[in-house]
Amino acid sequence: MSTVVAQSLHVFGLRSHVSNNVVFFDEQIIIFPSGNHCVKYNVDQKWQKFIPGSDKSQGMLALSISPNRRYLAISETVQEKPVITIYELSAVPCRKRKVLNNFDFPVQKFICMAFSPDSKYLLTQTSPPESNLVYWLWEKQKVMAIVRTDTQNNAVYQVSFNPQDNTQICVTGNGMFKLLRFAEGTLKQTNFQRGEPQNYLAHTWVSDDKIIVGTDTGRLFLFESGDQRWETSITVREPTSETKNLGVIQESESLIEFPTITSPAPSYEQVVMAHSHHQLSLPQVSAIAAYSKGFACSAGPGRVLLFEKMEEKEFYRESREIRIPVDPQSNDPSQSDKQDVLCMCFSPSEETLIASTSKNQLYSITMSLTEISKGETAHFEYLMYPLHSASITGLATCIRKPLIATCSVDRSVRIWNYESNTLELFKEYQEEAYTISLHPSGHYIVVGFADKLRLMNLLIDDIRSFKEYSVRGCKECCFSNGGHLFAAVNGNVIHIFSTTSLENVSNLKGHTGKIRSVAWNTDDSKLISCGTDGAVYEWNLSTGKRETECVLKSCSYNCVTISPDGKIIFAVGSDQTLKEIADSSVLREMSAFDVTYTAIVISHSGRMVFVGTSVGTIRAMKYPLPLQKEFNEYQAHCGPITKMSLTFDDQFLLSVAEDGCLFTWKVFDKDGRGIKREREVGFAEEVLVTKTDMEEKVQVMLELKTRVEELKMENEYQLRLKDMNYSEKVKELTDRFLQEMESLKTKNQVLRTEKEKQDALHRERMDDLLEKQSRELQDLECCNNQKLLLEYEKYQELQLKSQRMQEEYEKQLRDNEETKSQALEELTEFYEAKLQEKTTLLEEAQEDVRHQLREFEETKKQIEEDEDREIQDIKTKYEKKLRDEKESNLRLKGETGIMRKKFSSLQKEIEERTNDIEILKGEQVKLQGVIKSLEKDILGLKREIQERDETIQDKEKRIYDLKKKNQELEKFKFVLDYKIKELKKQIEPRENEIKVMKEQIQEMETELEHFHKQNTQLELNITELWQKLRATDQEMHRERQKERDLEALVKRFKTDLHNCVAYLQEPRQLKEKVRALFEKYVQRADMVEITGLNSDLQQEYTRQREHLERSLATLKKKVVKESELHRADYVRIMQENVSLIKEINELRRELKFTRSQVYDLEAALKLTKKIQPQDVPETESGKDLPGMPPTVRLNEQEETGRIIEMQRLEIQRLRDQIQEQEQLPGFHPFAGMRLPSLLGAEADLKLQTK
């Protein structure tokens, strides 16, 4: 194995679509899935520990933690097979306790799980179409019971145990709410659904027999022992002024008792819903979590409601609302809180509530805060930091700072710190971000968006763009190692930009496919690129040309990197190999063993190579690369790895993937060779701040300071004023209290005197009442004595009556006893007789039993004797067999010795064969590429064959239809022949007229063509004449202008000459003046220009003439070529027509032959008589043929009507043609000519019959 080791250090990400994806291990530690790991995260100390997924795992599907917090069950898919792994969390590190992977029932995957209250049993639910619920005794890997929960392929969302009972189970899904009980090795349903089935998304147990269930329509149900006891609906309004009033109504309404299902009266909430149904939307209750006071449930996007139990009744009322906060960094803050809550859980002490959302975010809230903020909406906080919610497409690091830059399809750019494991900066944009690169200084980034390429500053609290380039859909960009240049890919072109001048330095063109990866060498003199066209190019940036190239069209490259010394290029692609390229040739190819490499990175020391695969694993290997499978493979992501990078000091490996997670790995070498590169200077602490921001902050600080001073002054002044006011108030109060005390004293004295008076009155009243009472007592005693005497007399009478009654009952008892004794005697006699009969029968049965026992003993003795004999025989047989076996064993021992020698020789042969197999595998990979290309060709040929088969079938169908039509036409022929002859007599004169008309039309057309040619020729002549006229006009204007100029010049010369005449007497001055005149009006340059102009005109004329001659020659060639092409087309069409005519003639011959066969058959079957010779008229033959079928004559009226209709259509067509001819210029119809009434019908009729 490889000595290069990578240890997972930290992860930034969450997998939201894993069932039950957040659980508490204890008060500080939570467990959640990220990539292909489960992460134990300490909320207080911020450390992470990892539980890696199984080898060759394709991703986690569900989590479940046991109630005692000791075990964690993880459902995975490993090589298309489901696996459940149970980890012991108390062990350090966590170890596998049990693996459930052998199943006796059909299963594709386990979608949800739950542990029993005592953690001994595990409940698992499989996906549709099986939908099996399996009850496991997981320690022994034993299936206790299995039942199919659904037969209609509906989704099951959650299963759970009763928190106090191992045998009671709840299952919820689409149209499914089932309570099951485990008894006698089976799971039996104990409830029956009433009413319409709902889509039950989530449930939770709130007591031993009560369950809260939520639906996708925002309804909550309370079930007790399977019967519905309570129901409410959660509604959400848009945030308007009306919603505030609704919130007040709902708060007051939640205190009202909800009627049960049996109650006919609707609840107040139902009334509100009925009145305002159009304003309310129905949120999904996708998660419910119970706690001691009640339960929490999701209530639509970004909203959680807390329900508390009412003290007087067994129902719940809404107590608090918690919302996901709006993110100010989002491109649409109003929509940033619209996230579906998928899972919630309370900490063991119920102090913290954690929620996971559909956008891969984790939120938390302390429950004490919700109690403090009563009446107000509470808000969640990020548990860690905002995470990526979609595939990460870009990754970059820098030298001067411990920063990681990532961009994602979720339109966000994030800057992470891998030292403190925090999020430094985060911003969302309108467009998707495809690639990112971080400047070595850590102050700038380049981001390729869908619309533009942006160069941005990393400020202290913002990411701000300062330069934009119109490079659309840039999928790859990279700063040079020195930071003075950066490369950006646009399709199949690489643009090189300068970071100082911000200008495009050069463009590198050469790739024919999309470029997937670029890499700079150490000194930034060269750039390496690879693409989907199978090309790896090395570019020299000083010349902008390719230095080396390696093209392999069968491979689409994914990533490329270069060794630190710049000699070897490493490339990975779709052909499942890692290639070492040097000097335009592949030095070595290392197999990827049935996976595709998607990313590669080499350390700055050149000793370690890391590759990312399409299944999300990372492979660490040492350099030089091993030939065999010598590398360490680590489970990392649950999707293809998109980018990988190493920090400048080779301490940390970074990887991102399509699952939206960023992993940091600690890298070290077991050999002890120094990987760590000592840093001369520590990480930079400087940050960028814009001048305006600084000025604004300084201004704000000054304003705040002045405001603080003002507030101090105001507070001091207010305190003085308050002291003055309080001292005055204290004086007033003391005076008031003294006055009140005096008044109270006087009042007390008055009340005492009144009390004494009242005491005297009370005594007098008491004396009077005592006297009255004594009198009333005496009267009552007298009355009561009289009543007692009367009652005593009544008592004596009743006593006498009771004695009489007693005597009568005693007599009746005696009579009953006598009758009873008689009946008893009779019954005893009857039953004694029966007893005697039964005893006789019993004795007989006993004798039979004794007889049977004797027989049994005799048979038993005989059987024992037979068995003893058989045993002795068998003993002798097996003793012989034993001797034979011992002899054979001795022989086999000798043979085994020989076989061992053969085995050792065969092992050597096997090793040789394995080497041959590896060589052959390489050849196989190459041949597979060839096979794929050939398969594509075969598919193309198969398509062509299918198309041709279809055309053949269509032609066969046409032939069959034509044969059918021929048969039908034969039936009509007999009728039509007679009609044709009659019509011929009428058509012949009209045909002659049509011929005359056609001849006239042809003559007219020839004349028209002649006129058209003359017109075109005349138009050409006119255009030429117009051009000549314009040219002559221009020349005339020029000549006139020249004439005017010359006249002016002559006038000027005359005046100058006239001035010279004055100097006739002075010869010297005359000579000077004449010389001046010569210099003024006669110049040699003019003469030269005139001759030069004439030669230039002649050259231009000859050049134009040559150009026109050349263009005419090219046009003639084109005309000749086009005529040849048209001639070839005409020949081809003629050949097709000839072949079609041949086919038609053959079909006619076949038709005649079949017709003659039909007639012969009819004559043989005596259905019709033979047809008379041809010179006999058809009318007579029709009369003389009694065997003709009568159906031919039945359609005579229909046929005549059809023929008349056809003739009408032909007449209309001819009239339209004549009108068109009349409208043409130069056409004059002949006077007195009549239109034909029935012309051209015969030709059309013949064509139809044929």
Side-chain angles (χ1 to χ4, degrees):
M1 293 299 286
S2 174
T3 56
V4 179
V5 179
Q7 185 179 353
S8 49
L9 197 67
H10 202 88
V11 64
F12 305 92
L14 168 74
R15 286 198 62 208
S16 59
H17 295 290
V18 174
S19 177
N20 195 23
N21 58 10
V22 182
V23 292
F24 268 97
F25 174 59
D26 56 27
E27 198 62 37
Q28 285 82 32
I29 297 170
I30 62 164
I31 298 172
F32 60 88
S34 182
N36 214 6
H37 288 71
C38 268
V39 183
K40 286 174 75 177
Y41 176 69
N42 191 306
V43 178
D44 296 334
Q45 298 174 13
K46 309 295 181 187
W47 54 256
Q48 288 185 354
K49 290 181 180 176
F50 294 87
I51 305 168
S54 303
D55 289 341
K56 298 180 182 177
S57 172
Q58 293 168 329
M60 297 177 185
L61 300 169
L63 300 182
S64 180
I65 194 166
S66 61
N68 60 9
R69 314 282 176 186
R70 283 186 63 190
Y71 306 111
L72 177 73
I74 301 172
S75 168
E76 297 174 281
T77 305
V78 179
Q79 291 182 333
E80 306 296 333
K81 290 181 182 178
V83 173
I84 295 171
T85 312
I86 296 154
Y87 290 88
E88 192 170 347
L89 296 174
S90 55
V92 180
C94 298
R95 63 183 179 87
K96 288 183 183 180
R97 182 68 179 265
K98 277 284 179 291
V99 178
L100 309 177
N101 54 8
N102 293 320
F103 309 110
D104 300 331
F105 48 88
V107 58
Q108 290 181 359
K109 56 186 176 181
F110 293 99
I111 52 175
C112 48
M113 301 182 293
F115 275 99
S116 62
D118 59 0
S119 305
K120 289 181 180 177
Y121 299 97
L122 180 68
L123 197 64
T124 59
Q125 174 68 47
T126 68
S127 61
E130 294 87 12
S131 298
N132 288 323
L133 181 68
V134 190
Y135 190 92
W136 297 84
L137 180 63
W138 63 267
E139 283 278 9
K140 295 182 180 178
Q141 300 184 4
K142 184 181 177 183
V143 176
M144 303 295 288
I146 184 168
V147 68
R148 189 166 183 181
T149 52
D150 183 63
T151 56
Q152 299 175 352
N153 292 341
N154 289 328
V156 179
Y157 300 117
Q158 191 179 351
V159 295
S160 66
F161 277 98
N162 186 326
Q164 305 297 328
D165 189 359
N166 283 349
T167 61
Q168 195 171 9
I169 294 158
C170 179
V171 182
T172 52
N174 189 356
M176 187 193 313
F177 171 71
K178 290 184 179 182
L179 288 172
L180 305 166
R181 188 170 286 281
F182 175 70
E184 298 175 359
T186 57
L187 287 165
K188 293 179 181 177
Q189 189 171 346
T190 59
N191 71 318
F192 298 98
Q193 290 187 16
R194 298 183 181 91
E196 292 182 6
Q198 303 279 335
N199 188 3
Y200 299 106
L201 297 178
H203 71 266
T204 187
W205 296 80
V206 289
S207 68
D208 296 350
D209 56 352
K210 290 180 183 176
I211 306 170
I212 293 287
V213 185
T215 70
D216 63 345
T217 56
R219 299 176 76 185
L220 287 169
F221 298 96
L222 174 65
F223 289 97
E224 185 176 359
S225 301
D227 297 325
Q228 188 175 326
R229 299 293 182 202
W230 175 74
E231 177 187 350
T232 186
S233 293
I234 300 162
T235 55
V236 179
R237 281 179 190 259
E238 292 298 320
T240 57
S241 59
E242 294 176 5
T243 55
K244 293 176 183 176
N245 302 330
L246 181 69
V248 174
I249 291 165
Q250 285 180 344
E251 278 190 3
S252 60
E253 156 207 330
S254 59
L255 301 169
I256 300 165
E257 179 188 342
F258 288 90
T260 59
I261 292 297
T262 54
S263 173
S267 66
Y268 184 75
E269 188 165 356
Q270 290 167 346
V271 172
V272 171
M273 278 185 68
H275 284 297
S276 59
H277 188 267
H278 65 283
Q279 291 181 347
L280 304 178
S281 60
L282 300 173
Q284 290 189 352
V285 182
S286 55
I288 307 176
Y291 68 115
S292 57
K293 292 182 181 178
F295 64 91
C297 70
S298 65
R303 188 164 170 251
V304 172
L305 297 178
L306 294 178
F307 282 83
E308 290 183 0
K309 193 175 182 181
M310 296 169 71
E311 293 176 0
E312 298 171 0
K313 293 166 184 172
E314 295 295 317
F315 303 137
Y316 293 85
R317 66 181 179 87
E318 184 187 325
S319 63
R320 196 81 62 255
E321 181 183 6
I322 309 169
R323 284 190 174 273
I324 290 172
V326 174
D327 195 343
Q329 296 297 329
S330 175
N331 59 354
D332 188 1
S334 63
Q335 295 296 317
S336 63
D337 60 335
K338 300 292 185 287
Q339 306 178 38
D340 292 326
V341 177
L342 300 180
C343 182
M344 292 189 294
C345 66
F346 285 94
S347 62
S349 65
E350 296 182 354
E351 179 62 27
T352 310
L353 172 65
I354 286 182
S356 70
T357 69
S358 57
K359 289 188 178 178
N360 298 356
Q361 305 299 330
L362 282 171
Y363 293 96
S364 69
I365 191 167
T366 53
M367 296 303 289
S368 55
L369 285 174
T370 60
E371 290 174 6
I372 292 163
S373 62
K374 284 193 174 179
E376 295 179 3
T377 302
H379 286 90
F380 280 106
E381 292 177 350
Y382 282 111
L383 181 69
M384 299 178 284
Y385 22 71
L387 304 166
H388 280 295
S389 60
S391 171
I392 300 175
T393 54
L395 171 73
T397 57
C398 63
I399 299 168
R400 295 286 291 118
K401 291 186 179 184
L403 298 181
I404 308 166
T406 58
C407 64
S408 171
V409 180
D410 62 6
R411 302 177 179 178
S412 69
V413 173
R414 294 165 203 259
I415 309 298
W416 314 86
N417 190 317
Y418 61 81
E419 268 198 341
S420 59
N421 294 323
T422 55
L423 181 67
E424 295 274 327
L425 289 171
F426 153 58
K427 197 167 185 180
E428 281 192 11
Y429 296 90
Q430 295 290 334
E431 298 292 330
E432 291 181 357
Y434 296 130
T435 181
I436 193 166
S437 184
L438 190 57
H439 193 269
S441 65
H443 292 310
Y444 318 106
I445 56 169
V446 170
V447 186
F449 290 96
D451 58 342
K452 284 183 182 177
L453 179 73
R454 291 182 173 89
L455 192 60
M456 302 182 177
N457 280 324
L458 297 180
L459 305 180
I460 191 168
D461 57 354
D462 193 13
I463 303 171
R464 202 169 292 173
S465 174
F466 67 91
K467 178 67 178 174
E468 292 183 351
Y469 300 96
S470 58
V471 178
R472 283 180 169 274
C474 176
K475 294 291 178 79
E476 191 68 31
C477 67
C478 186
F479 272 106
S480 63
N481 295 311
H484 62 293
L485 299 171
F486 68 90
V489 172
N490 183 10
N492 56 3
V493 181
I494 303 168
H495 301 285
I496 307 296
F497 296 94
S498 171
T499 52
T500 50
S501 64
L502 306 177
E503 290 178 356
N504 187 0
V505 178
S506 65
N507 297 320
L508 309 178
K509 297 177 182 179
H511 281 278
T512 57
K514 287 187 178 178
I515 298 166
R516 298 291 296 274
S517 178
V518 293
W520 296 84
N521 70 340
T522 311
D523 60 357
D524 296 334
S525 62
K526 293 174 186 176
L527 184 76
I528 292 87
S529 64
C530 70
T532 56
D533 54 357
V536 176
Y537 294 145
E538 187 177 355
W539 307 86
N540 189 325
L541 293 179
S542 58
T543 59
K545 293 178 181 179
R546 284 183 295 204
E547 279 202 349
T548 63
E549 58 181 48
C550 179
V551 181
L552 187 66
K553 290 190 177 179
S554 60
C555 175
S556 174
Y557 286 106
N558 295 322
C559 187
V560 71
T561 188
I562 189 167
S563 60
D565 58 5
K567 291 178 182 178
I568 297 170
I569 298 165
F570 299 92
V572 293
S574 60
D575 62 349
Q576 298 184 354
T577 58
L578 190 158
K579 295 181 180 64
E580 281 186 69
I581 301 166
D583 298 328
S584 303
S585 62
V586 178
L587 292 180
R588 276 202 302 169
E589 283 190 1
M590 180 187 168
S591 175
F593 303 101
D594 299 329
V595 296
T596 304
Y597 288 146
T598 55
I600 184 167
V601 65
I602 188 166
S603 65
H604 296 90
S605 63
R607 298 190 192 123
M608 299 179 293
V609 177
F610 299 93
V611 287
T613 67
S614 58
V615 294
T617 59
I618 290 172
R619 291 179 177 178
M621 55 191 82
K622 62 184 179 182
Y623 187 76
L625 298 173
L627 289 169
Q628 296 178 351
K629 204 173 183 180
E630 292 180 8
F631 51 77
N632 293 325
E633 189 163 12
Y634 301 99
Q635 295 293 321
H637 299 272
C638 65
I641 292 173
T642 52
K643 296 284 179 186
M644 289 172 70
S645 181
L646 272 165
T647 55
F648 183 71
D649 56 1
D650 286 346
Q651 287 289 299
F652 302 102
L653 172 69
L654 315 168
S655 65
V656 294
E658 289 181 9
D659 59 359
C661 297
L662 164 63
F663 272 87
T664 61
W665 306 77
K666 179 78 174 171
V667 178
F668 55 91
D669 194 344
K670 279 185 178 178
D671 288 347
R673 289 185 294 177
I675 291 174
K676 191 171 183 181
R677 301 168 69 183
E678 293 296 330
R679 298 185 66 89
E680 293 177 4
V681 183
F683 286 125
E685 294 182 357
E686 297 85 1
V687 290
L688 290 180
V689 182
T690 59
K691 191 178 179 181
T692 53
D693 289 347
M694 280 293 291
E695 287 172 355
E696 284 173 6
K697 283 179 181 177
V698 168
Q699 189 66 34
V700 167
M701 283 170 73
L702 289 168
E703 286 173 2
L704 287 167
K705 279 179 182 177
T706 53
R707 180 72 180 148
V708 165
E709 288 172 0
E710 287 172 3
L711 285 167
K712 278 182 182 177
M713 295 288 287
E714 281 179 9
N715 285 329
E716 287 172 1
Y717 178 67
Q718 290 287 334
L719 282 166
R720 285 173 194 162
L721 285 172
K722 281 179 181 177
D723 287 337
M724 296 281 286
N725 288 327
Y726 284 134
S727 60
E728 287 175 1
K729 281 180 181 177
V730 165
K731 283 179 183 177
E732 287 174 2
L733 285 166
T734 49
D735 294 337
R736 200 186 297 159
F737 280 127
L738 287 167
Q739 288 173 3
E740 283 178 358
M741 280 171 74
E742 288 174 359
S743 63
L744 285 167
K745 280 177 183 177
T746 54
K747 279 181 183 178
N748 199 0
Q749 287 175 356
V750 171
L751 287 166
R752 276 180 187 170
T753 54
E754 284 180 358
K755 187 190 170 191
E756 288 172 357
K757 287 177 184 176
Q758 289 288 332
D759 285 338
L761 284 167
H762 278 300
R763 282 172 199 149
E764 287 175 2
R765 283 178 185 172
M766 281 290 287
D767 293 335
D768 294 336
L769 285 166
L770 287 166
E771 286 176 2
K772 279 181 182 179
Q773 189 184 5
S774 62
R775 283 188 215 125
E776 285 174 357
L777 266 169
Q778 287 173 1
D779 295 335
L780 282 166
E781 280 178 0
C782 294
C783 291
N784 285 329
N785 288 328
Q786 289 174 1
K787 283 179 182 177
L788 275 167
L789 288 165
L790 289 166
E791 290 294 327
Y792 184 70
E793 288 172 358
K794 284 179 184 177
Y795 171 71
Q796 284 179 346
E797 289 174 2
L798 288 165
Q799 202 169 8
L800 289 166
K801 278 182 183 178
S802 66
Q803 284 175 359
R804 288 175 202 147
M805 292 281 283
Q806 198 171 357
E807 287 171 358
E808 287 174 359
Y809 281 123
E810 281 174 357
K811 283 178 185 176
Q812 284 177 1
L813 277 166
R814 287 184 207 119
D815 296 336
N816 286 329
E817 279 177 359
E818 287 172 0
T819 53
K820 184 185 172 185
S821 60
Q822 287 175 1
L824 263 168
E825 286 171 0
E826 289 171 359
L827 283 165
T828 48
E829 287 172 359
F830 175 71
Y831 280 112
E832 279 174 358
K834 270 192 175 182
L835 247 170
Q836 286 174 357
E837 288 174 6
K838 294 287 179 186
T839 49
T840 53
L841 288 166
L842 224 162
E843 286 172 358
E844 289 172 1
Q846 282 175 354
E847 285 176 3
D848 290 335
V849 166
R850 289 186 202 113
H851 181 67
Q852 284 176 1
L853 276 166
R854 286 185 207 122
E855 287 178 357
F856 173 70
E857 284 173 0
E858 286 174 4
T859 52
K860 190 180 174 186
K861 284 175 185 176
Q862 289 173 2
I863 289 161
E864 282 175 354
E865 288 171 1
D866 294 337
E867 288 297 323
D868 289 334
R869 285 189 214 111
E870 284 177 5
I871 286 160
Q872 284 176 357
D873 295 338
I874 289 161
K875 196 176 181 184
T876 52
K877 276 181 190 176
Y878 280 113
E879 281 173 356
K880 285 176 185 177
K881 279 185 181 178
L882 242 171
R883 288 184 208 118
D884 296 336
E885 288 294 327
K886 281 176 182 177
E887 289 170 2
S888 64
N889 273 333
L890 288 167
R891 264 188 254 114
L892 287 166
K893 278 178 183 176
E895 288 174 4
T896 49
I898 294 157
M899 290 299 283
R900 275 175 191 163
K901 289 173 184 175
K902 284 183 181 177
F903 180 69
S904 60
S905 64
L906 284 167
Q907 266 188 335
K908 288 174 184 175
E909 285 180 9
I910 286 159
E911 286 173 0
E912 290 171 1
R913 294 295 176 203
T914 49
N915 294 327
D916 295 338
I917 285 158
E918 284 178 358
I919 294 158
L920 288 166
K921 274 184 181 176
E923 290 176 1
Q924 188 187 355
V925 169
K926 291 174 184 174
L927 288 167
Q928 275 178 349
V930 176
I931 286 159
K932 283 175 184 175
S933 62
L934 289 169
E935 280 175 354
K936 286 176 185 175
D937 296 338
I938 286 159
L939 286 168
L941 290 166
K942 279 182 180 176
R943 283 180 201 140
E944 283 181 11
I945 287 159
Q946 283 178 355
E947 287 169 3
R948 287 180 182 177
D949 286 339
E950 287 169 4
T951 51
I952 287 159
Q953 286 173 3
D954 293 336
K955 283 181 179 178
E956 283 177 354
K957 283 178 185 176
R958 282 178 193 169
I959 289 159
Y960 181 70
D961 295 335
L962 286 166
K963 282 181 180 177
K964 277 189 175 178
K965 284 178 183 177
N966 284 334
Q967 287 173 2
E968 289 172 4
L969 290 166
E970 279 174 13
K971 292 176 185 177
F972 296 127
K973 188 181 180 273
F974 297 107
V975 180
L976 292 170
D977 283 341
Y978 174 70
K979 290 177 182 175
I980 287 159
K981 283 180 181 177
E982 287 181 352
L983 288 163
K984 271 180 184 176
K985 292 170 187 176
Q986 295 175 3
I987 288 161
E988 277 174 5
R990 285 172 192 176
E991 269 187 349
N992 295 327
E993 289 176 5
I994 285 162
K995 281 177 185 175
V996 173
M997 287 288 284
K998 280 180 179 176
E999 286 170 1
Q1000 287 174 358
I1001 287 159
Q1002 283 176 357
E1003 287 172 2
M1004 294 286 283
E1005 282 177 353
T1006 50
E1007 285 178 8
L1008 257 171
E1009 285 175 2
H1010 182 64
F1011 284 132
H1012 277 303
K1013 285 175 183 176
Q1014 284 181 350
N1015 282 331
T1016 51
Q1017 192 63 40
L1018 288 165
E1019 281 173 0
L1020 287 166
N1021 293 334
I1022 287 158
T1023 51
E1024 284 175 4
L1025 290 165
W1026 271 109
Q1027 286 172 356
K1028 285 177 183 176
L1029 219 160
R1030 283 174 195 151
T1032 49
D1033 281 338
Q1034 287 172 0
E1035 282 178 9
M1036 190 177 76
H1037 285 302
R1038 283 193 211 114
E1039 290 297 327
R1040 281 177 182 170
Q1041 188 64 40
K1042 280 180 186 177
E1043 192 182 346
R1044 286 187 208 117
D1045 294 339
L1046 285 166
E1047 283 175 358
L1049 199 138
V1050 167
K1051 281 179 183 176
R1052 270 185 265 133
F1053 186 73
K1054 279 179 182 178
T1055 51
D1056 289 339
L1057 198 72
H1058 185 69
N1059 292 331
C1060 286
V1061 170
Y1063 298 102
L1064 282 168
Q1065 301 299 324
E1066 296 172 2
R1068 278 185 186 176
Q1069 287 182 358
L1070 183 67
K1071 189 180 178 183
E1072 285 172 3
K1073 291 288 180 182
V1074 170
R1075 190 179 288 166
L1077 275 172
F1078 181 78
E1079 285 173 358
K1080 189 177 180 182
Y1081 290 105
V1082 182
Q1083 290 175 358
R1084 290 175 188 175
D1086 291 341
M1087 299 298 289
V1088 171
E1089 277 177 9
I1090 289 157
T1091 56
L1093 281 167
N1094 290 332
S1095 62
D1096 290 338
L1097 282 166
Q1098 200 167 1
Q1099 284 174 3
E1100 182 65 24
Y1101 174 73
T1102 53
R1103 194 172 60 77
Q1104 289 286 341
R1105 188 175 176 181
E1106 284 171 1
H1107 174 68
L1108 289 167
E1109 282 173 355
R1110 266 190 248 111
S1111 59
L1112 205 142
T1114 52
L1115 287 165
K1116 278 180 181 178
K1117 284 176 185 176
K1118 279 183 184 178
V1119 167
V1120 169
K1121 281 181 184 177
E1122 284 175 1
S1123 62
E1124 284 174 359
L1125 287 167
H1126 286 303
R1127 199 176 296 124
D1129 289 335
Y1130 290 145
V1131 168
R1132 184 173 53 77
I1133 290 157
M1134 283 293 288
Q1135 285 172 355
E1136 286 176 2
N1137 285 335
V1138 167
S1139 62
L1140 287 167
I1141 288 159
K1142 282 178 184 176
E1143 284 181 11
I1144 289 158
N1145 289 330
E1146 285 172 3
L1147 287 166
R1148 280 175 182 166
R1149 285 192 210 104
E1150 285 177 9
L1151 208 151
K1152 284 177 184 177
F1153 180 66
T1154 48
R1155 205 180 285 162
S1156 63
Q1157 282 183 342
V1158 167
Y1159 290 145
D1160 293 339
L1161 286 166
E1162 284 178 354
L1165 293 166
K1166 293 183 181 179
L1167 292 170
T1168 57
K1169 288 183 181 180
K1170 282 190 178 181
I1171 299 160
Q1172 296 295 326
Q1174 289 183 1
D1175 56 337
V1176 181
E1178 282 186 10
T1179 51
E1180 290 176 9
S1181 66
K1183 289 172 187 177
D1184 296 336
L1185 290 171
M1188 280 289 288
T1191 52
V1192 175
R1193 290 295 177 187
L1194 284 172
N1195 294 327
E1196 189 173 358
Q1197 290 179 357
E1198 290 178 10
E1199 286 300 313
T1200 52
R1202 198 183 293 168
I1203 290 158
I1204 290 159
E1205 188 64 29
M1206 285 161 66
Q1207 287 173 351
R1208 278 180 190 161
L1209 289 166
E1210 184 63 25
I1211 289 159
Q1212 188 62 40
R1213 188 174 65 77
L1214 289 165
R1215 279 179 182 163
D1216 294 338
Q1217 282 183 0
I1218 289 159
Q1219 283 177 2
E1220 287 173 4
Q1221 291 290 333
E1222 282 177 355
Q1223 286 172 5
L1224 288 168
F1227 179 83
H1228 300 290
F1230 295 100
M1233 186 174 281
R1234 292 182 183 179
L1235 287 169
S1237 59
L1238 293 165
L1239 292 174
E1242 186 182 2
D1244 294 333
L1245 207 140
K1246 278 181 181 178
L1247 282 167
Q1248 286 182 355
T1249 52
K1250 285 175 183 176

